[in-house]
């Protein structure tokens, strides 16, 4: 009898599951239709750009470097002179990749690198963690050269989609978002630094982290909950998303570059949440009497949310940063003084910065150019310039104001203005920084978003002009 009574209930449960699957399928189809051009253009141009990888060639510099260094040069089919600008991939990352791959395939945790000199610590070198998921997976599937190629393709494409969806979340048009994504994917900064495997997670995850931040602020702005705990529960999935992405960054990148990302993300979150709380507080009666209370409450809410995200991130990524912190605390490395930090070899001269923004770096390339990578393409720079000075009422002021601040502050830091003192004094690890130009990826990132606004401005102006011609 009990089994008979359970049949209608089972059918009801089955109908609910079927309905959920149907709704999910409909949403997926609608999502693909909405973003179909991005799903076509971004992968297609990635394949075209890196077509040599599909024809048997590799982006790895090991072979070329081997033809320039003894004793490998003696047996190399084509001896080279030392023309590679950045030899780090061949000299450093390739031995690390091989060591990690061998250890993981033997089911050992790779604490030590046996392939460089007499052996070096692998887990505490401040570089990508062996536990970075893409590295874990590819280490079991392929050799180091192919792994390097797959790393580049995967991260560039992931970063392109991140920039596209970030711009769409900021309500840019499809065309402008795709243009911004392409500028980010194929920026000179990308091609200059992609051989450094720690840069690839920055390229891939930075847009997605800000996507999560923008989504979080939108959710907080739309909900009417007043209790802090209730608000955290409401947006907790997004909080976990941001923390997870930052954890992946800790695992996959250089600890110094991670700090370059964490600081602007934390600043954006704190002030964006503060602004939301302050504006909501203005709805109470006699707001002029409650300004101090609104400031305190808004600051408290911002600190709570920022603290929760930071706490979850540090907890999840402890295997990456904690060994490095312990190792660094026991080392005798000498800090740079502030004068050395902003010395002539560490900063970018003002004239070089402005010139390189619109014109490509002079050939032949040298290692110094890696830290002067302000160039992102003349057309892209013009789009970004147009977006920077577009202060129309329709633009997203709450997001683009911060993007403009990020653009200007990055420039002021890398050219050695007093703003660099803030980085030197308050960002962990900056006392050892040898070139402020390392943070120029933030400059490129901000300009790509502004370029989306510039592209939207051009498209809208052209559309209005065409409509006027048709009416005439």
């Amino acid at each position: 009898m009990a089994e008979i009574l359970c049949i209608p209930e089972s059918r009801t449960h089955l109908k609910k599951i079927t309905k959920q699957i149907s709704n999910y399928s409909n949403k997926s189809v609608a999502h693909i239709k909405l973003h179909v051009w991005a799903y076509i253009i971004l992968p297609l141009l990635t394949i075209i750009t890196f077509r040599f990888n599909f024809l048997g060639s590799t982006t790895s510099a090991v072979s070329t470097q081997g033809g320039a260094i003894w004793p490998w040069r003696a047996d190399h089919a084509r001896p080279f002179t030392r023309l590679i600008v950045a030899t780090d991939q061949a000299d450093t990352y390739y031995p690390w990749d091989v060591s990690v791959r061998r250890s993981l395939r033997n089911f050992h945790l790779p604490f030590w690198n046996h392939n460089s000199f007499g052996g070096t610590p692998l887990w505490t070198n401040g570089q990508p963690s062996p536990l970075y998921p893409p590295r874990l997976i590819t280490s079991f599937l392929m050799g180091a050269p192919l792994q390097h190629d797959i790393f580049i393709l995967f991260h560039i494409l992931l970063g392109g989609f991140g920039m596209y969806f970030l711009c769409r979340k900021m309500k840019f048009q499809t065309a402008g978002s795709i243009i911004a994504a392409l500028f980010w994917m194929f920026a000179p900064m990308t091609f200059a630094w992609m051989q450094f495997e720690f840069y690839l997670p920055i390229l891939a995850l930075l847009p997605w982290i800000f996507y999560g931040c923008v989504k979080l602020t939108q959710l907080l702005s739309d909900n009417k909950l007043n209790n802090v705990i209730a608000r955290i529960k409401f947006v907790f999935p997004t909080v976990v998303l941001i923390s997870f992405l930052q954890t992946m960054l800790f695992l996959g990148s250089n600890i110094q570059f991670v700090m370059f990302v964490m600081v602007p993300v934390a600043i954006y979150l704190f002030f964006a949440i503060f602004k939301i709380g302050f504006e909501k507080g203005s709805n109470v009666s006699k707001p002029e009497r409650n300004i101090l209370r609104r400031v305190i409450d808004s600051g408290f809410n911002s600190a709570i949310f920022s603290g929760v995200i930071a706490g979850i991130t540090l907890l999840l990524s402890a295997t990456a940063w904690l060994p490095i912190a312990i190792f660094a605390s026991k080392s005798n490395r000498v800090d740079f003084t502030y004068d050395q930090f902003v010395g002539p070899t560490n900063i970018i001269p003002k004239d070089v910065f402005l010139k390189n923004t619109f014109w490509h770096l002079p050939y032949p390339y040298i290692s110094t150019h890696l830290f002067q990578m302000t160039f992102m393409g003349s057309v892209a720079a013009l789009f970004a310039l147009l977006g920077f000075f577009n202060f129309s009422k329709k633009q997203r002021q709450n997001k683009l104001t911060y993007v403009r601040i990020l653009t200007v502050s990055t420039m002021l830091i890398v050219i050695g203005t007093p703003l660099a003192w803030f980085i030197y004094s308050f960002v962990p690890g900056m006392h050892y920084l040898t070139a402020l130009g390392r943070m120029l990826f933030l400059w490129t990132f901000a300009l790509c978003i502004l370029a989306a606004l510039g592209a939207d401005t051009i498209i809208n102006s052209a559309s209005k002009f065409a409509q006027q011609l048709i009416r005439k």
Side-chain angles (χ1 to χ4, degrees):
M1 186 67 180
E3 294 178 359
I4 295 175
L5 291 174
C6 287
I7 291 175
E9 185 178 341
S10 301
R11 288 177 178 175
T12 303
H13 186 62
L14 182 60
K15 287 181 179 180
K16 287 182 179 180
I17 295 175
T18 305
K19 186 177 180 179
Q20 289 177 352
I21 294 174
S22 177
N23 291 337
Y24 179 79
S25 300
N26 292 336
K27 289 181 180 179
S28 300
V29 171
H31 172 86
I32 293 173
K33 287 182 178 179
L34 182 61
H35 306 293
V36 63
W37 286 112
Y39 285 122
I40 293 174
I41 293 174
L42 301 188
L44 180 62
L45 290 183
T46 302
I47 292 171
I48 292 173
T49 303
F50 293 95
R51 59 191 179 279
F52 56 86
N53 286 143
F54 300 93
L55 299 175
S57 298
T58 179
T59 52
S60 174
V62 172
S63 178
T64 304
Q65 183 72 341
I69 297 178
W70 297 97
W72 298 277
R73 181 174 179 176
D75 297 326
H76 205 279
R78 296 172 54 200
F80 295 99
T81 55
R82 197 180 181 91
L83 293 177
I84 303 175
V85 174
T87 63
D88 299 59
Q89 191 274 325
D91 296 340
T92 305
Y93 293 101
Y94 179 76
W96 287 349
D97 291 344
V98 171
S99 182
V100 169
R101 178 172 171 271
R102 287 175 179 172
S103 296
L104 291 176
R105 287 196 168 194
N106 286 288
F107 302 101
H108 296 154
L109 290 176
F111 292 108
W112 191 259
N113 172 26
H114 301 276
N115 298 322
S116 297
F117 304 104
T120 57
L122 193 59
W123 209 285
T124 57
N125 58 11
Q127 297 295 329
S129 168
L131 297 182
Y132 181 50
R135 184 172 302 283
L136 273 174
I137 295 169
T138 53
S139 292
F140 286 99
L141 298 178
M142 59 196 70
L146 181 58
Q147 183 186 47
H148 182 68
D149 295 336
I150 296 297
F151 251 53
I152 290 175
L153 290 172
F154 171 75
H155 285 90
I156 286 179
L157 191 56
L158 182 61
F161 279 116
M163 179 60 73
Y164 169 78
F165 284 111
L166 171 61
C167 291
R168 293 293 287 156
K169 178 61 73 173
M170 296 173 69
K171 304 188 186 310
F172 291 114
Q173 297 177 20
T174 298
S177 300
I178 291 175
I179 289 171
L182 294 175
F183 287 159
W184 176 244
M185 292 168 67
F186 304 122
M189 186 80 183
T190 299
F191 286 99
W193 284 85
M194 69 182 186
Q195 292 286 34
F196 302 85
E197 293 185 356
F198 68 79
Y199 179 72
L200 293 172
I202 297 282
L203 173 69
L205 297 175
L206 177 60
W208 287 108
I209 291 173
F210 270 97
Y211 171 88
C213 294
V214 173
K215 182 179 180 180
L216 175 63
T217 56
Q218 289 178 354
L219 289 172
L220 290 174
S221 179
D222 293 340
N223 86 82
K224 298 181 180 180
L225 299 172
N226 295 321
N227 184 273
V228 176
I229 303 300
R231 296 174 74 193
I232 291 177
K233 288 181 179 179
F234 178 72
V235 299
F236 192 71
T238 307
V239 168
V240 172
L241 172 65
I242 298 171
S243 302
F244 172 77
L245 292 171
Q246 290 183 152
T247 298
M248 291 300 101
L249 199 61
F250 264 109
L251 293 174
S253 187
N254 177 304
I255 195 71
Q256 200 173 65
F257 276 68
V258 173
M259 291 297 103
F260 292 153
V261 174
M262 297 290 285
V263 171
V265 167
I267 292 174
Y268 170 75
L269 278 176
F270 183 87
F271 285 102
I273 297 172
F274 179 90
K275 180 174 178 288
I276 292 169
F278 190 81
E279 289 176 347
K280 285 190 173 185
S282 65
N283 296 326
V284 300
S285 60
K286 298 181 180 180
E288 67 277 1
R289 297 183 181 179
N290 296 285
I291 291 178
L292 180 60
R293 179 63 181 271
R294 284 160 55 194
V295 169
I296 294 174
D297 289 346
S298 300
F300 177 75
N301 287 339
S302 297
I304 290 294
F305 276 96
S306 301
V308 169
I309 292 173
I312 295 175
T313 300
L314 292 176
L315 182 63
L316 293 176
S317 61
T319 58
W321 63 266
L322 188 57
I324 296 170
I326 295 172
F327 183 79
S329 68
K330 298 180 181 298
S331 67
N332 294 318
R333 187 172 180 179
V334 179
D335 296 356
F336 287 130
T337 65
Y338 180 69
D339 289 337
Q340 292 173 317
F341 183 75
V342 293
T345 59
N346 273 18
I347 64 172
I348 304 176
K350 300 178 185 66
D351 58 330
V352 173
F353 188 100
L354 295 174
K355 180 181 178 181
N356 290 354
T357 299
F358 295 95
W359 290 276
H360 65 81
L361 294 163
Y363 187 82
Y365 303 127
I366 56 177
S367 58
T368 304
H369 290 161
L370 288 170
F371 312 111
Q372 299 177 353
M373 202 57 61
T374 60
F375 182 66
M376 60 174 292
S378 300
V379 174
L382 290 173
F383 275 42
L385 191 65
L386 180 61
F388 187 91
F389 291 105
N390 181 359
F391 293 97
S392 63
K393 294 181 180 180
K394 293 182 179 180
Q395 68 154 308
R396 279 60 56 186
Q397 288 281 1
N398 58 330
K399 310 299 185 307
L400 289 176
T401 298
Y402 182 76
V403 174
R404 291 189 178 96
I405 293 172
L406 182 62
T407 304
V408 174
S409 59
T410 303
M411 179 186 72
L412 293 176
I413 290 170
V414 300
I415 64 176
T417 66
L419 190 59
W421 175 85
F422 174 82
I423 298 295
Y424 177 82
S425 302
F426 297 106
V427 180
M430 295 303 104
H431 289 192
Y432 308 126
L433 186 62
T434 56
L436 293 174
R438 291 171 182 263
M439 64 179 66
L440 280 173
F441 67 88
L442 293 171
W443 164 265
T444 302
F445 173 75
L447 289 186
C448 286
I449 297 175
L450 292 172
L453 177 59
D456 276 9
T457 303
I458 293 173
I459 292 169
N460 291 335
S461 300
S463 177
K464 290 179 181 178
F465 181 73
Q467 289 176 0
Q468 290 176 355
L469 289 179
I470 293 172
R471 290 172 184 173
K472 292 180 179 180

